[in-house]
Amino acid sequence: QIREDYFTLYKDSERRFSLGEVSMEIYRNSVQAYYKQVELVIEAQTNFNSSKLLLESLIGAPLQEIDGYQGFLQRLDAELRAY
């Protein structure tokens, strides 16, 4: 949602800049703010994916195969007992 809000502000600034209603600086700031949000979303998705892969490697199964929290705890308990 935040990225969409920044995109809307960016497009509005672009339109207003093309009409001469805002300065180049305001337009540039809105472009930079939008792309910063895009960067943050990509970074968050990368961190999530890395954490998910780490968790899956620790439990030895894809998260899609885990049927809820209780199933996860049972598998974790079995793995711990195997060591």
Side-chain angles (χ1 to χ4, degrees), residues 49-64:
N49 290 340
S50 295
S51 296
K52 180 181 173 195
L53 289 172
L54 177 60
L55 178 59
E56 288 175 341
S57 72
L58 291 172
I59 64 173
L63 290 178
Q64 293 83 356

Side-chain angles (χ1 to χ4, degrees), residues 20-72:
E21 295 176 357
V22 297
S23 67
M24 173 67 94
E25 183 178 348
I26 290 173
Y27 172 64
R28 185 176 34 125
N29 289 342
S30 68
V31 170
Q32 289 174 339
Y34 169 68
Y35 282 108
K36 180 63 177 173
Q37 290 304 310
V38 169
E39 182 181 318
L40 291 173
V41 167
I42 291 169
E43 183 179 342
Q45 187 65 52
T46 300
N47 291 339
F48 172 80
N49 290 340
S50 295
S51 296
K52 180 181 173 195
L53 289 172
L54 177 60
L55 178 59
E56 288 175 341
S57 72
L58 291 172
I59 64 173
L63 290 178
Q64 293 83 356
E65 293 180 7
I66 306 299
D67 293 328
Y69 187 66
Q70 289 301 321
F72 170 73

